Amino acid sequence: MRISCIGGGPAGLYFALLMKQQNPAHEITVFERNKPGDTFGWGVVFSDQTLTAMREADAKTAGQILDAFNHWDDIEVHINGRTMRSGGHGFCGIGRMKLLNILQARCVELGVDLRYESDVQDDEGLDADLIIAADGLNSRVRQKYAATYQPDIDLRQCRFVWLGTAKLFEAFTFDFQQTEWGWFQAHAYRFDDTTSTFIVEAPQAVWEAAGIEAMSKEEGIAFCERLFAKVLDGHKLISNASHLRGSAQWIRFPRVVCKNWVHHNGIAPVVLMGDAAHTAHFSIGSGTKLALEDAIALAWDIGDAQDDLDVALPRYVASRSIEVLRIQNAARNSTEWFENVARHAQLAPEQFAYSLLTRSQRISHENLRLRDAAYVARFEAWLAGGQAVPPMFTPFKLRGLTLKNRVVVSPMAQYSCVDGLPGDYHLMHLGARAAGGAGLVFAEMTCPSADARITPGCPGLYSDEQGAAWTRIVDFVHRNSSAKIAMQLGHAGAKGSTRRGWEGIDQPLGDGLDWPLISASPQQYLAGVSQTSRAMTRADMDRVRADFCAATERAAQAGFDWLELHCAHGYLLSSFVSPLTNQRSDEYGGTLENRLRYPLEVFKATRALWPADKPMSVRISAHDWVIGGTTPEDAVLIAAAFKAAGADLIDVSSGQVSKLEKPTYGRMWQTPFSENIRNRVGIATIAVGAISEADHVNSIIAAGRADLCAVARPHLANPAWTLSEAARIGYQGPAGLDWPLQYLSGKPQLEKEFERQRAQAQPAKKEEGVV
């Protein structure tokens, strides 16, 4: 097979040598526009897991790289005169030039044709069976065939400069400096016997305010030396970007995502690899890792397919695109963390450092414990204010209410009422979950009138009979558990009058059973299917507000510990908030302030009736996931408005406002919205969405991303989820953990079983990347 590689960086070189090693008969040429000794950047970082993959692919090359590595385990975080250190992270640093030299020499040894100072613009004129476009971040091949590759390039919000220094850092070091213009941060690590990488970064607005844009290159470096003088210990900073002038060496990181990676030019497939296909922010140290793993994967797939590219290339794209997406999701979280240091800097230094270590959401609480158990124990003791306790089992106090732990059973529709009346099923359902160890149990969304229901099976609180039924359930929970119980009040609006979930979710009732619907503006939730709602009049608003007030009084009489107003997911109050569903031209439409007017009216009226010593929260959709809809920035303003009106906590969800939504799913995928609101508005939050393990809850609470975590589907599968997860992580209590006396005899057996599983399990692998 004849292979041409455009670009002699890590991806192109490594793929070339692997293919030549795999079959010496392959004719492989690498075209590199620079000289052999030219490179930009300083050191690159690998984790232990990357090295394992390289050893399996080519032990000789991996051995040479390993011999040149500088290895360290510790991470240091410097902020506000404090230093926090944790260990066990397992990283290796190597100079980019040294890495390239090793790969170049190995290619020559195997017989790869390396052609330097060959500025091959694209695939034009290349006589090959396979063309690899490894021509980097600014790939000209990707640009030429953009219609096929469909690249999405997002310039991030921070400016950064890649420098070096003779100061030898013994730990991977993050140094944060607050200035009159804002926060600057440095990422520093040693990569050989004489030099460390030193990356300086700041948000674009801070960078501009500091005047760096107008500085010469030398002035910019001197600015950084003064700013980070303490951590540099008098050492100078060095630039190797001799081809750049002024502030051009300060760049914004471009996140590159390509929908397709293969283009057929009529002669040979042209395959993107490395930064040409995707990028991952340097803060998780995965750019070179991804490039090398691309090379490993494609070489393996070609060999496995016996050089049949029609078989190998689809396999390559299918497998690598999933892994790259996983890394890029983590990189996005990490990037956004560094773009918002000012928000996180409000945390205590201990929590700030923990938040940094877990910022990608790939490194969890238990993964940190695996790396450095002593660090986690110290942090847990600090967070608990005494003896070390897993964060999820620390108490939480709001107004006059104290929850024993941070686990919340989400409000989950059960569609099991008759005429809005909760019965024995609800007593069993909520009672079992209250006995299962959670600190707070939510009843499902309950409606203030019959026409406010989502389905005929949804509960209400619009009659004294319903109030009495709820009182029975609340009393049962209080008598038989130490959990608290919350009522969530909501009006379905345009999403009402539908079938029960298992009969066809969001489908209209039909057969003459539908009831009239109201919302902020006329709306049909499912185009061509749903009933069309009519816009609320002022009389409607007064009636609905009165219904909410009456339901609030009944909830108080029933003895609920907590009240939540549902202003999310496209239901009636949400339909006022979102510009997608509010097209009004009166004082209740237009600006966000106007759109919030009616939901705030309802909130203030109900808060005034709810007991002053009991908390009241608001659930919001922090992102509509539709262009033109509510954004996370809007969510901050929405939360601030409810806080000013007296809300104690914001229950932060997203979506379900429009069927046109395109969410980005993943584990704990909505947690960043919670953190954004909590640490910018200064209000307690509940995080929701794909939180399914104690590890998730511990990480979220410990990092200050939320005050409580709502767990939904896992509680449907296991009512005693909290008790079970405590046993799974080896926590036996007593803080925040309360087994029912009747079930206590089952506790030792469950704990022993999980202890046995932990002992038999292989040690968990550390996640890939810096942190």
Side-chain angles (χ1 to χ4, degrees):
M1 184 187 301
R2 295 167 302 163
I3 302 172
S4 292
C5 295
I6 305 172
L13 291 171
Y14 198 48
F15 177 73
L17 74 86
L18 290 178
M19 288 300 295
K20 195 68 173 176
Q21 174 186 253
Q22 185 171 286
N23 186 348
H26 289 321
E27 298 176 15
I28 305 174
T29 305
V30 177
F31 298 95
E32 170 56 44
R33 61 182 174 179
N34 296 310
K35 298 176 183 179
D38 290 347
T39 189
F40 308 103
W42 293 89
V44 294
V45 177
F46 295 148
S47 73
D48 293 342
Q49 189 175 346
T50 301
L51 285 174
T52 299
M54 294 181 71
R55 287 191 193 99
E56 293 174 355
D58 176 19
K60 184 172 183 178
T61 303
Q64 292 173 352
I65 293 173
L66 184 61
D67 289 342
F69 266 135
N70 182 72
H71 186 276
W72 72 93
D73 279 319
D74 291 350
I75 291 175
E76 278 192 354
V77 180
H78 303 263
I79 186 169
N80 296 336
R82 297 278 307 281
T83 298
M84 277 64 63
R85 190 176 182 113
S86 64
H89 299 286
F91 303 117
C92 297
I94 186 173
R96 181 177 170 82
M97 189 69 260
K98 181 65 175 178
L99 174 64
L100 290 177
N101 289 160
I102 291 172
L103 297 178
Q104 290 164 351
R106 185 80 171 114
C107 281
V108 170
E109 177 186 336
L110 291 170
V112 175
D113 183 6
L114 300 183
R115 300 187 186 180
Y116 298 103
E117 299 183 76
S118 297
D119 192 7
V120 175
Q121 297 286 327
D122 51 42
D123 61 320
E124 189 71 28
L126 293 180
D127 185 17
D129 303 304
L130 173 65
I131 298 171
I132 302 298
D135 52 342
L137 182 62
N138 299 309
S139 170
R140 290 176 291 193
V141 175
R142 185 183 67 222
Q143 184 176 358
K144 178 179 179 179
Y145 297 122
T148 298
Y149 297 128
Q150 298 183 50
D152 176 8
I153 302 176
D154 176 25
L155 284 178
R156 299 306 308 176
Q157 298 174 21
C158 282
R159 290 272 181 171
F160 72 95
V161 60
W162 205 294
L163 302 171
T165 178
K167 164 70 183 289
L168 299 180
F169 291 91
E170 296 304 321
F172 196 108
T173 300
F174 295 99
D175 190 76
F176 297 85
Q177 294 296 328
Q178 186 175 25
T179 70
E180 59 187 290
W181 311 287
W183 285 91
F184 283 78
Q185 56 259 10
H187 312 233
Y189 55 91
R190 176 180 176 179
F191 63 83
D192 63 23
D193 293 337
T194 62
T195 321
S196 296
T197 294
F198 200 91
I199 304 170
V200 179
E201 183 184 27
Q204 175 78 15
V206 174
W207 182 81
E208 290 176 352
I212 299 175
E213 187 172 15
M215 295 180 186
S216 68
K217 181 163 65 176
E218 293 72 23
E219 289 170 337
I221 292 174
F223 174 90
C224 294
E225 287 173 346
R226 291 192 299 272
L227 188 57
F228 295 100
K230 185 175 181 180
V231 75
L232 284 169
D233 294 329
H235 291 82
K236 296 291 185 181
L237 291 174
I238 313 160
S239 171
N240 66 0
S242 58
H243 61 301
L244 298 176
R245 297 290 181 266
S247 60
Q249 63 179 343
W250 291 82
I251 63 174
R252 291 170 62 187
F253 186 85
R255 187 218 59 181
V256 176
V257 179
C258 289
K259 186 174 183 179
N260 299 308
W261 294 7
V262 179
H263 172 81
H264 294 274
N265 65 10
I267 300 174
V270 185
V271 182
L272 297 180
M273 185 175 287
D275 283 352
H278 45 68
T279 59
H281 193 256
F282 57 83
S283 63
I284 66 167
S286 292
T288 303
K289 156 205 158 53
L290 286 177
L292 297 177
E293 290 183 352
D294 283 352
I296 293 170
L298 183 54
W300 169 261
D301 287 332
I302 291 174
D304 191 54
Q306 297 182 344
D307 295 347
D308 187 340
L309 297 180
D310 290 336
V311 174
L313 295 183
R315 287 182 185 173
Y316 166 69
V317 173
S319 63
R320 288 302 296 156
S321 59
I322 293 173
E323 173 64 13
V324 166
L325 179 61
R326 187 178 75 88
I327 297 295
Q328 286 188 318
N329 284 341
R332 183 191 65 244
N333 292 335
S334 181
T335 305
E336 291 177 353
W337 194 96
F338 282 105
E339 291 172 344
N340 294 283
V341 167
R343 181 198 313 167
H344 310 300
Q346 301 175 56
L347 302 171
E350 290 84 354
Q351 195 165 41
F352 177 89
Y354 183 99
S355 177
L356 184 152
L357 293 173
T358 59
R359 67 190 180 277
S360 70
Q361 295 189 178
R362 295 169 61 222
I363 305 302
S364 67
H365 194 71
E366 292 307 313
N367 193 267
L368 279 181
R369 195 188 306 278
L370 173 69
R371 297 171 181 225
D372 190 342
Y375 164 77
V376 171
R378 290 194 304 272
F379 177 80
E380 287 182 345
W382 171 84
L383 190 67
Q387 187 175 2
V389 175
M392 68 184 286
F393 292 110
T394 56
F396 178 67
K397 188 176 189 301
L398 207 57
R399 293 206 181 216
L401 183 72
T402 299
L403 303 180
K404 64 183 178 182
N405 61 48
R406 307 302 184 100
V407 180
V408 174
V409 176
S410 299
M412 293 175 284
Q414 299 296 294
Y415 311 112
S416 298
C417 288
V418 177
D419 294 327
L421 189 69
D424 289 347
Y425 172 82
H426 295 83
L427 182 74
M428 176 277 298
H429 171 69
L430 295 171
R433 280 140 191 88
L440 180 67
V441 176
F442 263 97
E444 64 198 276
M445 187 180 95
T446 301
C447 304
S449 61
D451 64 345
R453 291 175 297 165
I454 308 169
T455 77
C458 291
L461 198 44
Y462 47 85
S463 73
D464 291 342
E465 184 182 10
Q466 292 164 349
W470 281 118
T471 299
R472 174 175 174 246
I473 293 169
V474 171
D475 288 347
F476 181 88
V477 168
H478 287 161
R479 283 197 311 270
N480 293 281
S481 78
S482 57
K484 306 301 181 184
I485 184 167
M487 165 56 65
Q488 184 189 71
L489 292 178
H491 189 301
K495 296 176 73 173
S497 188
T498 63
R499 303 173 193 172
R500 291 171 176 83
W502 49 81
E503 296 171 345
I505 193 164
D506 293 327
Q507 298 297 312
L509 290 170
D511 297 327
L513 299 175
D514 295 299
W515 56 80
L517 303 178
I518 55 175
S519 56
S521 300
Q523 181 189 349
Q524 191 177 35
Y525 183 63
L526 290 181
V529 177
S530 297
Q531 181 187 164
T532 300
S533 61
R534 65 172 176 83
M536 291 179 74
T537 65
R538 182 64 251 185
D540 292 324
M541 293 183 197
D542 292 341
R543 175 181 65 83
V544 170
R545 183 184 62 199
D547 290 342
F548 271 106
C549 287
T552 297
E553 291 181 312
R554 287 192 172 97
Q557 292 166 4
F560 280 98
D561 303 297
W562 183 301
L563 181 66
E564 179 164 285
L565 185 65
H566 203 321
C567 297
H569 299 167
Y571 296 127
L572 186 129
L573 296 179
S574 169
S575 75
F576 278 86
V577 178
S578 174
L580 298 176
T581 50
N582 186 338
Q583 306 298 320
R584 300 177 73 100
S585 58
D586 60 6
E587 66 270 32
Y588 294 98
T591 66
L592 179 59
E593 181 181 8
N594 283 354
R595 300 198 309 271
L596 280 169
R597 193 183 302 272
Y598 183 62
L600 286 171
E601 279 184 24
V602 176
F603 175 83
K604 290 175 183 177
T606 51
R607 175 71 264 188
L609 295 170
W610 185 244
D613 64 334
K614 293 185 177 183
M616 186 167 174
S617 58
V618 181
R619 171 167 276 213
I620 69 169
S621 286
H623 197 332
D624 285 348
W625 299 103
V626 177
I627 295 174
T630 299
T631 68
E633 285 300 306
D634 294 329
V636 170
L637 301 176
I638 294 166
F642 278 110
K643 178 186 177 183
D648 301 298
L649 178 144
I650 303 297
D651 188 351
V652 188
S653 187
S654 74
Q656 300 181 52
V657 171
S658 168
K659 283 297 185 181
L660 300 177
E661 67 182 9
K662 295 182 179 179
T664 302
Y665 295 111
R667 58 182 175 182
M668 301 177 282
W669 60 288
Q670 297 180 111
T671 299
F673 304 141
S674 167
E675 181 182 34
N676 187 35
I677 289 170
R678 182 183 189 269
N679 294 326
R680 289 176 65 183
V681 178
I683 189 170
T685 60
I686 297 178
V688 307
I691 299 170
S692 58
E693 302 173 9
D695 213 8
H696 296 164
V697 180
N698 282 325
S699 301
I700 291 168
I701 300 303
R705 297 187 173 103
D707 298 274
L708 299 170
C709 289
V711 179
R713 291 179 178 87
H715 272 126
L716 292 180
N718 181 5
W721 181 87
T722 305
L723 300 179
S724 180
E725 286 298 293
R728 188 185 304 277
I729 64 173
Y731 178 65
Q732 298 182 3
L737 196 62
D738 188 11
W739 276 72
L741 295 176
Q742 300 91 330
Y743 298 165
L744 200 55
S745 61
K747 181 174 183 284
Q749 182 177 350
L750 183 65
E751 290 168 345
K752 288 178 181 177
E753 173 59 23
F754 280 124
E755 183 180 359
R756 183 187 64 81
Q757 292 179 16
R758 289 194 300 272
Q760 290 181 346
Q762 294 294 324
K765 291 184 178 180
K766 299 172 185 175
E767 289 279 5
E768 188 69 30
V770 174
V771 281

